[in-house]
Short mmCIF file of all heavy atoms in Angstrom, two decimals:
data_model
loop_
_atom_site.label_atom_id
_atom_site.label_comp_id
_atom_site.label_asym_id
_atom_site.label_seq_id
_atom_site.Cartn_x
_atom_site.Cartn_y
_atom_site.Cartn_z
N GLU P 165 -49.22 -76.81 -56.73
CA GLU P 165 -49.36 -78.03 -57.48
C GLU P 165 -50.84 -78.28 -57.90
O GLU P 165 -51.78 -77.97 -57.20
CB GLU P 165 -48.96 -79.23 -56.60
CG GLU P 165 -48.48 -80.44 -57.34
CD GLU P 165 -49.63 -81.41 -57.51
OE1 GLU P 165 -50.51 -81.50 -56.64
OE2 GLU P 165 -49.61 -82.06 -58.54
N VAL P 166 -51.08 -78.86 -59.03
CA VAL P 166 -52.43 -78.91 -59.68
C VAL P 166 -53.30 -79.65 -58.74
O VAL P 166 -54.54 -79.24 -58.65
CB VAL P 166 -52.36 -79.52 -61.07
CG1 VAL P 166 -51.82 -80.95 -61.08
CG2 VAL P 166 -53.71 -79.49 -61.82
N ARG P 167 -52.83 -80.73 -58.02
CA ARG P 167 -53.82 -81.49 -57.25
C ARG P 167 -54.33 -80.71 -56.06
O ARG P 167 -55.30 -81.13 -55.34
CB ARG P 167 -53.12 -82.76 -56.74
CG ARG P 167 -52.92 -83.74 -58.01
CD ARG P 167 -52.34 -85.09 -57.53
NE ARG P 167 -52.12 -85.94 -58.69
CZ ARG P 167 -53.05 -86.63 -59.30
NH1 ARG P 167 -54.39 -86.55 -58.89
NH2 ARG P 167 -52.83 -87.40 -60.39
N GLN P 168 -53.63 -79.67 -55.68
CA GLN P 168 -54.08 -78.73 -54.61
C GLN P 168 -55.13 -77.80 -55.05
O GLN P 168 -55.73 -77.04 -54.31
CB GLN P 168 -52.87 -78.04 -53.99
CG GLN P 168 -51.92 -78.98 -53.31
CD GLN P 168 -50.68 -78.26 -52.81
OE1 GLN P 168 -50.01 -77.54 -53.59
NE2 GLN P 168 -50.32 -78.39 -51.49
N ASN P 169 -55.32 -77.66 -56.43
CA ASN P 169 -56.24 -76.70 -57.05
C ASN P 169 -57.50 -77.48 -57.42
O ASN P 169 -57.54 -77.90 -58.55
CB ASN P 169 -55.50 -75.96 -58.13
CG ASN P 169 -54.66 -74.90 -57.64
OD1 ASN P 169 -55.12 -73.74 -57.28
ND2 ASN P 169 -53.39 -75.18 -57.55
N LYS P 170 -58.51 -77.56 -56.55
CA LYS P 170 -59.69 -78.31 -56.87
C LYS P 170 -60.45 -77.71 -58.07
O LYS P 170 -61.12 -78.48 -58.79
CB LYS P 170 -60.53 -78.42 -55.61
CG LYS P 170 -59.90 -79.31 -54.57
CD LYS P 170 -60.86 -79.45 -53.33
CE LYS P 170 -60.21 -80.40 -52.28
NZ LYS P 170 -61.09 -80.53 -51.13
N TRP P 171 -60.43 -76.34 -58.20
CA TRP P 171 -61.12 -75.81 -59.36
C TRP P 171 -60.64 -76.35 -60.64
O TRP P 171 -61.42 -76.46 -61.62
CB TRP P 171 -60.86 -74.25 -59.32
CG TRP P 171 -59.49 -73.77 -59.64
CD1 TRP P 171 -58.43 -73.64 -58.61
CD2 TRP P 171 -58.89 -73.50 -60.85
NE1 TRP P 171 -57.27 -73.31 -59.36
CE2 TRP P 171 -57.48 -73.21 -60.65
CE3 TRP P 171 -59.35 -73.57 -62.15
CZ2 TRP P 171 -56.66 -72.82 -61.71
CZ3 TRP P 171 -58.43 -73.16 -63.22
CH2 TRP P 171 -57.12 -72.88 -62.97
N MET P 172 -59.33 -76.74 -60.79
CA MET P 172 -58.74 -77.37 -61.87
C MET P 172 -59.04 -78.82 -61.96
O MET P 172 -59.30 -79.47 -62.99
CB MET P 172 -57.29 -77.04 -62.08
CG MET P 172 -56.73 -77.42 -63.39
SD MET P 172 -57.52 -76.46 -64.82
CE MET P 172 -57.00 -77.52 -66.26
N MET P 173 -58.86 -79.52 -60.80
CA MET P 173 -59.01 -80.89 -60.72
C MET P 173 -60.48 -81.42 -61.06
O MET P 173 -60.69 -82.38 -61.66
CB MET P 173 -58.57 -81.44 -59.32
CG MET P 173 -57.15 -81.38 -59.04
SD MET P 173 -56.05 -82.23 -60.29
CE MET P 173 -56.72 -83.89 -60.15
N HIS P 174 -61.43 -80.57 -60.65
CA HIS P 174 -62.84 -80.89 -61.15
C HIS P 174 -62.92 -80.95 -62.58
O HIS P 174 -63.57 -81.82 -63.16
CB HIS P 174 -63.76 -79.84 -60.55
CG HIS P 174 -63.94 -79.86 -59.06
ND1 HIS P 174 -63.86 -80.97 -58.31
CD2 HIS P 174 -64.05 -78.83 -58.11
CE1 HIS P 174 -63.97 -80.72 -56.99
NE2 HIS P 174 -64.05 -79.36 -56.85
N ILE P 175 -62.24 -80.05 -63.32
CA ILE P 175 -62.29 -79.96 -64.71
C ILE P 175 -61.64 -81.18 -65.41
O ILE P 175 -62.21 -81.83 -66.19
CB ILE P 175 -61.67 -78.71 -65.32
CG1 ILE P 175 -62.46 -77.38 -64.79
CG2 ILE P 175 -61.56 -78.75 -66.80
CD1 ILE P 175 -61.73 -76.15 -65.04
N ILE P 176 -60.51 -81.53 -64.82
CA ILE P 176 -59.65 -82.64 -65.35
C ILE P 176 -60.43 -83.88 -65.14
O ILE P 176 -60.59 -84.76 -66.12
CB ILE P 176 -58.24 -82.66 -64.70
CG1 ILE P 176 -57.52 -81.45 -65.13
CG2 ILE P 176 -57.50 -83.88 -65.06
CD1 ILE P 176 -56.16 -81.28 -64.45
N ARG P 177 -60.86 -84.17 -63.88
CA ARG P 177 -61.52 -85.39 -63.65
C ARG P 177 -62.83 -85.61 -64.44
O ARG P 177 -63.08 -86.71 -64.95
CB ARG P 177 -61.77 -85.51 -62.08
CG ARG P 177 -60.51 -85.79 -61.35
CD ARG P 177 -60.77 -85.68 -59.84
NE ARG P 177 -59.56 -86.00 -59.05
CZ ARG P 177 -59.33 -85.45 -57.85
NH1 ARG P 177 -60.15 -84.65 -57.32
NH2 ARG P 177 -58.17 -85.74 -57.19
N ALA P 178 -63.56 -84.60 -64.50
CA ALA P 178 -64.90 -84.76 -65.33
C ALA P 178 -64.68 -84.92 -66.77
O ALA P 178 -65.36 -85.74 -67.37
CB ALA P 178 -65.77 -83.55 -64.95
N LEU P 179 -63.80 -84.19 -67.32
CA LEU P 179 -63.58 -84.25 -68.73
C LEU P 179 -62.79 -85.47 -69.18
O LEU P 179 -62.92 -86.00 -70.32
CB LEU P 179 -62.99 -82.96 -69.34
CG LEU P 179 -63.79 -81.70 -69.05
CD1 LEU P 179 -63.09 -80.53 -69.75
CD2 LEU P 179 -65.20 -81.84 -69.53
N ALA P 180 -61.79 -85.87 -68.34
CA ALA P 180 -61.02 -87.02 -68.76
C ALA P 180 -61.76 -88.36 -68.47
O ALA P 180 -61.66 -89.31 -69.24
CB ALA P 180 -59.69 -87.04 -67.89
N ALA P 181 -62.47 -88.45 -67.37
CA ALA P 181 -63.32 -89.65 -67.09
C ALA P 181 -62.50 -90.90 -67.14
O ALA P 181 -62.97 -91.81 -67.83
CB ALA P 181 -64.53 -89.66 -67.99
N GLY P 182 -61.35 -90.93 -66.55
CA GLY P 182 -60.64 -92.15 -66.54
C GLY P 182 -59.68 -92.34 -67.74
O GLY P 182 -58.86 -93.25 -67.74
N ARG P 183 -59.81 -91.55 -68.82
CA ARG P 183 -58.92 -91.70 -69.95
C ARG P 183 -57.53 -91.26 -69.55
O ARG P 183 -57.27 -90.31 -68.68
CB ARG P 183 -59.35 -90.84 -71.11
CG ARG P 183 -60.65 -91.36 -71.78
CD ARG P 183 -61.02 -90.47 -73.02
NE ARG P 183 -61.36 -89.19 -72.56
CZ ARG P 183 -60.70 -87.98 -72.81
NH1 ARG P 183 -59.62 -88.09 -73.41
NH2 ARG P 183 -61.15 -86.84 -72.48
N THR P 184 -56.50 -91.87 -70.10
CA THR P 184 -55.13 -91.45 -69.81
C THR P 184 -54.86 -90.27 -70.70
O THR P 184 -54.88 -90.26 -71.87
CB THR P 184 -54.15 -92.55 -70.29
OG1 THR P 184 -54.42 -93.72 -69.40
CG2 THR P 184 -52.69 -92.14 -69.99
N LEU P 185 -54.43 -89.14 -70.07
CA LEU P 185 -54.23 -87.91 -70.77
C LEU P 185 -52.73 -87.86 -71.25
O LEU P 185 -51.86 -88.54 -70.76
CB LEU P 185 -54.44 -86.68 -69.83
CG LEU P 185 -55.83 -86.56 -69.34
CD1 LEU P 185 -56.02 -85.38 -68.34
CD2 LEU P 185 -56.89 -86.47 -70.45
N PRO P 186 -52.57 -87.04 -72.33
CA PRO P 186 -51.14 -87.00 -72.83
C PRO P 186 -50.30 -86.44 -71.80
O PRO P 186 -50.54 -85.52 -71.02
CB PRO P 186 -51.30 -85.94 -73.95
CG PRO P 186 -52.70 -86.00 -74.33
CD PRO P 186 -53.43 -86.33 -73.03
N PRO P 187 -49.05 -87.05 -71.57
CA PRO P 187 -48.11 -86.60 -70.47
C PRO P 187 -47.65 -85.23 -70.72
O PRO P 187 -47.47 -84.80 -71.88
CB PRO P 187 -46.99 -87.65 -70.67
CG PRO P 187 -47.02 -88.11 -72.07
CD PRO P 187 -48.55 -88.18 -72.45
N ARG P 188 -47.58 -84.38 -69.62
CA ARG P 188 -47.08 -83.11 -69.69
C ARG P 188 -45.85 -82.94 -68.82
O ARG P 188 -45.96 -83.34 -67.61
CB ARG P 188 -48.13 -82.12 -69.31
CG ARG P 188 -49.27 -82.00 -70.37
CD ARG P 188 -50.13 -80.84 -70.02
NE ARG P 188 -50.97 -80.56 -71.19
CZ ARG P 188 -51.60 -79.34 -71.48
NH1 ARG P 188 -51.46 -78.38 -70.56
NH2 ARG P 188 -52.29 -79.24 -72.55
N ALA P 189 -44.77 -82.47 -69.28
CA ALA P 189 -43.60 -82.25 -68.41
C ALA P 189 -43.96 -81.32 -67.29
O ALA P 189 -44.48 -80.26 -67.56
CB ALA P 189 -42.43 -81.71 -69.26
N PRO P 190 -43.64 -81.56 -66.07
CA PRO P 190 -44.02 -80.73 -64.92
C PRO P 190 -43.42 -79.35 -64.96
O PRO P 190 -43.91 -78.40 -64.46
CB PRO P 190 -43.54 -81.53 -63.72
CG PRO P 190 -42.49 -82.42 -64.21
CD PRO P 190 -42.89 -82.80 -65.60
N ASP P 191 -42.31 -79.24 -65.66
CA ASP P 191 -41.61 -77.86 -65.71
C ASP P 191 -41.86 -77.20 -67.07
O ASP P 191 -41.22 -76.24 -67.42
CB ASP P 191 -40.05 -78.06 -65.47
CG ASP P 191 -39.39 -79.06 -66.45
OD1 ASP P 191 -40.14 -79.74 -67.19
OD2 ASP P 191 -38.14 -79.21 -66.39
N ALA P 192 -42.71 -77.73 -67.96
CA ALA P 192 -43.04 -77.12 -69.21
C ALA P 192 -43.82 -75.81 -68.99
O ALA P 192 -44.55 -75.73 -67.92
CB ALA P 192 -43.86 -78.05 -70.08
N PRO P 193 -43.69 -74.83 -69.79
CA PRO P 193 -44.45 -73.62 -69.63
C PRO P 193 -45.96 -73.89 -69.42
O PRO P 193 -46.44 -74.68 -70.27
CB PRO P 193 -44.21 -72.70 -70.92
CG PRO P 193 -42.87 -73.36 -71.43
CD PRO P 193 -42.80 -74.78 -70.97
N GLY P 194 -46.53 -73.33 -68.46
CA GLY P 194 -47.98 -73.48 -68.25
C GLY P 194 -48.33 -73.03 -66.90
O GLY P 194 -47.56 -72.62 -66.04
N PRO P 195 -49.62 -73.08 -66.51
CA PRO P 195 -50.15 -72.57 -65.24
C PRO P 195 -49.46 -73.08 -64.00
O PRO P 195 -49.38 -72.36 -63.09
CB PRO P 195 -51.65 -72.96 -65.28
CG PRO P 195 -51.98 -73.13 -66.67
CD PRO P 195 -50.68 -73.67 -67.27
N PHE P 196 -48.93 -74.32 -63.99
CA PHE P 196 -48.39 -74.98 -62.87
C PHE P 196 -46.83 -75.23 -62.95
O PHE P 196 -46.29 -75.94 -62.21
CB PHE P 196 -49.16 -76.28 -62.56
CG PHE P 196 -50.58 -76.03 -62.38
CD1 PHE P 196 -51.49 -76.27 -63.52
CD2 PHE P 196 -51.17 -75.57 -61.21
CE1 PHE P 196 -52.85 -76.04 -63.35
CE2 PHE P 196 -52.54 -75.39 -61.11
CZ PHE P 196 -53.44 -75.56 -62.16
N ALA P 197 -46.26 -74.43 -63.85
CA ALA P 197 -44.76 -74.66 -64.06
C ALA P 197 -43.92 -74.19 -62.87
O ALA P 197 -42.89 -74.56 -62.71
CB ALA P 197 -44.39 -73.90 -65.27
N LEU P 198 -44.45 -73.28 -62.06
CA LEU P 198 -43.72 -72.82 -60.93
C LEU P 198 -44.29 -73.20 -59.53
O LEU P 198 -44.17 -72.60 -58.53
CB LEU P 198 -43.60 -71.29 -60.93
CG LEU P 198 -42.83 -70.66 -62.11
CD1 LEU P 198 -42.86 -69.10 -62.02
CD2 LEU P 198 -41.52 -71.25 -62.31
N ALA P 199 -44.89 -74.44 -59.50
CA ALA P 199 -45.59 -75.02 -58.47
C ALA P 199 -44.62 -75.52 -57.41
O ALA P 199 -44.92 -75.53 -56.19
CB ALA P 199 -46.53 -76.04 -58.84
N ASP P 200 -43.48 -76.10 -57.86
CA ASP P 200 -42.50 -76.75 -56.99
C ASP P 200 -41.60 -75.76 -56.30
O ASP P 200 -40.80 -75.13 -56.99
CB ASP P 200 -41.72 -77.72 -57.88
CG ASP P 200 -40.83 -78.63 -56.90
OD1 ASP P 200 -39.61 -78.13 -56.77
OD2 ASP P 200 -41.17 -79.68 -56.37
N GLU P 201 -41.68 -75.69 -54.98
CA GLU P 201 -40.87 -74.63 -54.22
C GLU P 201 -39.38 -74.81 -54.48
O GLU P 201 -38.68 -73.83 -54.69
CB GLU P 201 -41.17 -74.73 -52.79
CG GLU P 201 -40.44 -73.75 -51.90
CD GLU P 201 -40.80 -73.82 -50.38
OE1 GLU P 201 -41.73 -74.52 -50.08
OE2 GLU P 201 -40.03 -73.20 -49.60
N ASP P 202 -38.93 -76.05 -54.39
CA ASP P 202 -37.40 -76.22 -54.57
C ASP P 202 -37.00 -75.84 -55.93
O ASP P 202 -35.92 -75.25 -56.14
CB ASP P 202 -37.13 -77.71 -54.38
CG ASP P 202 -37.35 -78.20 -52.88
OD1 ASP P 202 -37.27 -77.36 -52.05
OD2 ASP P 202 -37.40 -79.43 -52.67
N ARG P 203 -37.76 -76.18 -57.06
CA ARG P 203 -37.36 -75.71 -58.39
C ARG P 203 -37.32 -74.15 -58.49
O ARG P 203 -36.42 -73.65 -59.04
CB ARG P 203 -38.39 -76.30 -59.39
CG ARG P 203 -38.09 -75.84 -60.82
CD ARG P 203 -38.86 -76.56 -61.80
NE ARG P 203 -38.54 -76.24 -63.18
CZ ARG P 203 -39.20 -75.37 -63.91
NH1 ARG P 203 -40.32 -74.80 -63.41
NH2 ARG P 203 -38.78 -74.98 -65.17
N VAL P 204 -38.39 -73.55 -57.90
CA VAL P 204 -38.45 -72.11 -58.08
C VAL P 204 -37.24 -71.45 -57.18
O VAL P 204 -36.66 -70.50 -57.64
CB VAL P 204 -39.76 -71.58 -57.57
CG1 VAL P 204 -39.75 -69.98 -57.55
CG2 VAL P 204 -40.91 -72.11 -58.36
N ARG P 205 -36.92 -72.06 -56.03
CA ARG P 205 -35.75 -71.50 -55.26
C ARG P 205 -34.52 -71.58 -56.17
O ARG P 205 -33.64 -70.68 -56.19
CB ARG P 205 -35.61 -72.31 -54.04
CG ARG P 205 -36.58 -72.00 -52.99
CD ARG P 205 -36.24 -72.69 -51.65
NE ARG P 205 -37.19 -72.44 -50.62
CZ ARG P 205 -37.26 -71.36 -49.84
NH1 ARG P 205 -36.32 -70.42 -50.02
NH2 ARG P 205 -38.22 -71.24 -48.95
N SER P 206 -34.35 -72.71 -56.88
CA SER P 206 -33.14 -72.87 -57.74
C SER P 206 -33.14 -71.87 -58.85
O SER P 206 -32.11 -71.30 -59.21
CB SER P 206 -33.13 -74.26 -58.20
OG SER P 206 -32.04 -74.48 -59.16
N ILE P 207 -34.24 -71.70 -59.47
CA ILE P 207 -34.41 -70.76 -60.56
C ILE P 207 -34.03 -69.39 -60.11
O ILE P 207 -33.25 -68.58 -60.78
CB ILE P 207 -35.85 -70.71 -61.14
CG1 ILE P 207 -36.12 -71.98 -61.92
CG2 ILE P 207 -36.15 -69.51 -62.08
CD1 ILE P 207 -37.56 -72.17 -62.30
N LEU P 208 -34.60 -68.87 -58.98
CA LEU P 208 -34.38 -67.54 -58.54
C LEU P 208 -32.86 -67.39 -58.09
O LEU P 208 -32.30 -66.33 -58.36
CB LEU P 208 -35.26 -67.27 -57.30
CG LEU P 208 -36.76 -67.13 -57.67
CD1 LEU P 208 -37.58 -66.89 -56.43
CD2 LEU P 208 -37.10 -66.06 -58.74
N ASP P 209 -32.38 -68.42 -57.44
CA ASP P 209 -30.85 -68.33 -57.06
C ASP P 209 -30.00 -68.22 -58.30
O ASP P 209 -29.12 -67.32 -58.30
CB ASP P 209 -30.55 -69.56 -56.23
CG ASP P 209 -29.08 -69.56 -55.84
OD1 ASP P 209 -28.68 -68.74 -55.14
OD2 ASP P 209 -28.31 -70.49 -56.42
N GLN P 210 -30.28 -68.97 -59.34
CA GLN P 210 -29.43 -68.94 -60.53
C GLN P 210 -29.59 -67.62 -61.29
O GLN P 210 -28.70 -67.09 -61.99
CB GLN P 210 -29.73 -70.16 -61.45
CG GLN P 210 -29.33 -71.49 -60.90
CD GLN P 210 -29.76 -72.58 -61.82
OE1 GLN P 210 -29.06 -72.76 -62.82
NE2 GLN P 210 -30.72 -73.36 -61.41
N ALA P 211 -30.79 -67.00 -61.07
CA ALA P 211 -31.13 -65.80 -61.78
C ALA P 211 -30.63 -64.49 -61.04
O ALA P 211 -30.70 -63.40 -61.57
CB ALA P 211 -32.61 -65.64 -62.00
N GLY P 212 -30.08 -64.71 -59.81
CA GLY P 212 -29.52 -63.57 -59.09
C GLY P 212 -30.42 -62.93 -58.03
O GLY P 212 -30.04 -61.93 -57.48
N TRP P 213 -31.59 -63.52 -57.74
CA TRP P 213 -32.50 -63.07 -56.72
C TRP P 213 -32.07 -63.76 -55.38
O TRP P 213 -31.72 -64.90 -55.34
CB TRP P 213 -33.90 -63.37 -57.04
CG TRP P 213 -34.41 -62.55 -58.21
CD1 TRP P 213 -34.37 -63.11 -59.49
CD2 TRP P 213 -34.90 -61.22 -58.30
NE1 TRP P 213 -34.88 -62.08 -60.35
CE2 TRP P 213 -35.26 -60.94 -59.59
CE3 TRP P 213 -35.08 -60.28 -57.30
CZ2 TRP P 213 -35.78 -59.75 -60.02
CZ3 TRP P 213 -35.60 -59.06 -57.73
CH2 TRP P 213 -35.98 -58.71 -59.02
N VAL P 214 -32.26 -62.98 -54.32
CA VAL P 214 -31.82 -63.59 -53.01
C VAL P 214 -33.00 -63.54 -52.01
O VAL P 214 -34.02 -62.79 -52.17
CB VAL P 214 -30.70 -62.83 -52.43
CG1 VAL P 214 -29.37 -62.85 -53.39
CG2 VAL P 214 -31.03 -61.36 -52.15
N ASP P 215 -32.87 -64.39 -50.99
CA ASP P 215 -33.71 -64.45 -49.84
C ASP P 215 -35.21 -64.65 -50.27
O ASP P 215 -36.09 -63.97 -49.89
CB ASP P 215 -33.68 -63.14 -49.00
CG ASP P 215 -34.41 -63.32 -47.68
OD1 ASP P 215 -34.46 -64.46 -47.14
OD2 ASP P 215 -34.85 -62.25 -47.14
N PRO P 216 -35.51 -65.77 -51.06
CA PRO P 216 -36.88 -65.94 -51.46
C PRO P 216 -37.69 -66.39 -50.34
O PRO P 216 -37.24 -67.28 -49.52
CB PRO P 216 -36.63 -67.01 -52.61
CG PRO P 216 -35.47 -67.70 -52.24
CD PRO P 216 -34.57 -66.66 -51.60
N GLN P 217 -39.00 -65.92 -50.25
CA GLN P 217 -39.88 -66.27 -49.20
C GLN P 217 -41.17 -66.81 -49.93
O GLN P 217 -41.70 -66.21 -50.86
CB GLN P 217 -40.23 -65.12 -48.34
CG GLN P 217 -38.99 -64.50 -47.68
CD GLN P 217 -38.32 -65.49 -46.65
OE1 GLN P 217 -39.11 -66.07 -45.87
NE2 GLN P 217 -37.03 -65.43 -46.48
N PHE P 218 -41.65 -68.01 -49.42
CA PHE P 218 -42.90 -68.60 -50.02
C PHE P 218 -43.92 -68.61 -48.96
O PHE P 218 -43.78 -69.27 -47.89
CB PHE P 218 -42.49 -70.00 -50.42
CG PHE P 218 -41.65 -70.18 -51.65
CD1 PHE P 218 -40.27 -69.82 -51.51
CD2 PHE P 218 -42.08 -70.57 -52.81
CE1 PHE P 218 -39.40 -69.87 -52.66
CE2 PHE P 218 -41.26 -70.65 -53.95
CZ PHE P 218 -39.93 -70.28 -53.83
N THR P 219 -45.02 -67.93 -49.26
CA THR P 219 -46.20 -67.96 -48.43
C THR P 219 -47.34 -68.71 -49.11
O THR P 219 -47.84 -68.29 -50.27
CB THR P 219 -46.71 -66.58 -48.14
OG1 THR P 219 -45.60 -65.84 -47.49
CG2 THR P 219 -47.91 -66.63 -47.13
N PRO P 220 -47.77 -69.81 -48.51
CA PRO P 220 -48.91 -70.57 -49.13
C PRO P 220 -50.30 -69.83 -49.03
O PRO P 220 -50.57 -69.34 -47.92
CB PRO P 220 -48.94 -71.85 -48.45
CG PRO P 220 -48.36 -71.63 -47.04
CD PRO P 220 -47.30 -70.45 -47.29
N LEU P 221 -51.02 -69.74 -50.07
CA LEU P 221 -52.30 -69.13 -50.04
C LEU P 221 -53.39 -70.13 -50.39
O LEU P 221 -53.13 -71.01 -51.29
CB LEU P 221 -52.38 -67.96 -51.02
CG LEU P 221 -51.35 -66.81 -50.91
CD1 LEU P 221 -51.53 -65.85 -52.07
CD2 LEU P 221 -51.39 -66.19 -49.65
N GLU P 222 -54.51 -70.11 -49.82
CA GLU P 222 -55.56 -70.98 -50.13
C GLU P 222 -56.85 -70.22 -49.97
O GLU P 222 -57.10 -69.44 -49.03
CB GLU P 222 -55.67 -72.24 -49.34
CG GLU P 222 -56.58 -73.23 -49.78
CD GLU P 222 -56.40 -74.62 -49.05
OE1 GLU P 222 -55.30 -75.16 -49.19
OE2 GLU P 222 -57.39 -75.07 -48.45
N ALA P 223 -57.90 -70.40 -50.98
CA ALA P 223 -59.11 -69.63 -50.91
C ALA P 223 -60.14 -70.42 -51.73
O ALA P 223 -59.82 -71.16 -52.54
CB ALA P 223 -58.97 -68.22 -51.37
N GLU P 224 -61.41 -70.19 -51.32
CA GLU P 224 -62.55 -70.64 -52.20
C GLU P 224 -62.73 -69.65 -53.31
O GLU P 224 -63.06 -68.41 -53.04
CB GLU P 224 -63.82 -70.77 -51.33
CG GLU P 224 -63.76 -71.94 -50.37
CD GLU P 224 -63.67 -73.29 -51.02
OE1 GLU P 224 -64.53 -73.49 -51.90
OE2 GLU P 224 -62.77 -73.99 -50.72
N LEU P 225 -62.44 -70.10 -54.52
CA LEU P 225 -62.44 -69.17 -55.68
C LEU P 225 -63.88 -69.15 -56.36
O LEU P 225 -64.58 -70.26 -56.44
CB LEU P 225 -61.50 -69.58 -56.72
CG LEU P 225 -60.01 -69.75 -56.13
CD1 LEU P 225 -59.10 -70.02 -57.30
CD2 LEU P 225 -59.66 -68.41 -55.39
N PHE P 226 -64.33 -68.12 -56.81
CA PHE P 226 -65.59 -67.94 -57.53
C PHE P 226 -65.32 -68.54 -58.94
O PHE P 226 -64.59 -68.10 -59.73
CB PHE P 226 -66.00 -66.54 -57.66
CG PHE P 226 -67.17 -66.22 -58.46
CD1 PHE P 226 -68.43 -66.40 -57.96
CD2 PHE P 226 -67.03 -65.85 -59.88
CE1 PHE P 226 -69.61 -66.16 -58.82
CE2 PHE P 226 -68.16 -65.58 -60.68
CZ PHE P 226 -69.40 -65.80 -60.12
N VAL P 227 -66.15 -69.64 -59.33
CA VAL P 227 -66.05 -70.19 -60.62
C VAL P 227 -67.13 -69.78 -61.56
O VAL P 227 -66.96 -69.71 -62.79
CB VAL P 227 -66.05 -71.72 -60.40
CG1 VAL P 227 -65.98 -72.48 -61.80
CG2 VAL P 227 -64.91 -72.17 -59.43
N GLY P 228 -68.23 -69.39 -61.02
CA GLY P 228 -69.37 -69.00 -61.95
C GLY P 228 -70.64 -68.61 -61.06
O GLY P 228 -70.79 -69.07 -60.01
#
Side-chain angles (χ1 to χ4, degrees):
E165 205 268 327
V166 64
R167 293 188 181 278
Q168 296 175 304
N169 280 278
K170 292 183 179 179
W171 67 271
M172 189 65 196
M173 289 305 299
H174 293 321
I175 297 171
I176 293 172
R177 286 170 177 154
L179 298 186
R183 288 182 294 111
T184 300
L185 298 178
R188 291 194 165 198
D191 56 354
F196 303 98
L198 299 182
D200 184 270
E201 179 179 352
D202 290 339
R203 177 172 184 257
V204 177
R205 285 185 183 278
S206 176
I207 289 169
L208 295 179
D209 178 65
Q210 293 178 74
W213 295 94
V214 301
D215 193 27
Q217 301 293 320
F218 290 71
T219 302
L221 306 175
E222 187 169 303
E224 289 297 305
L225 305 184
F226 174 82
V227 181

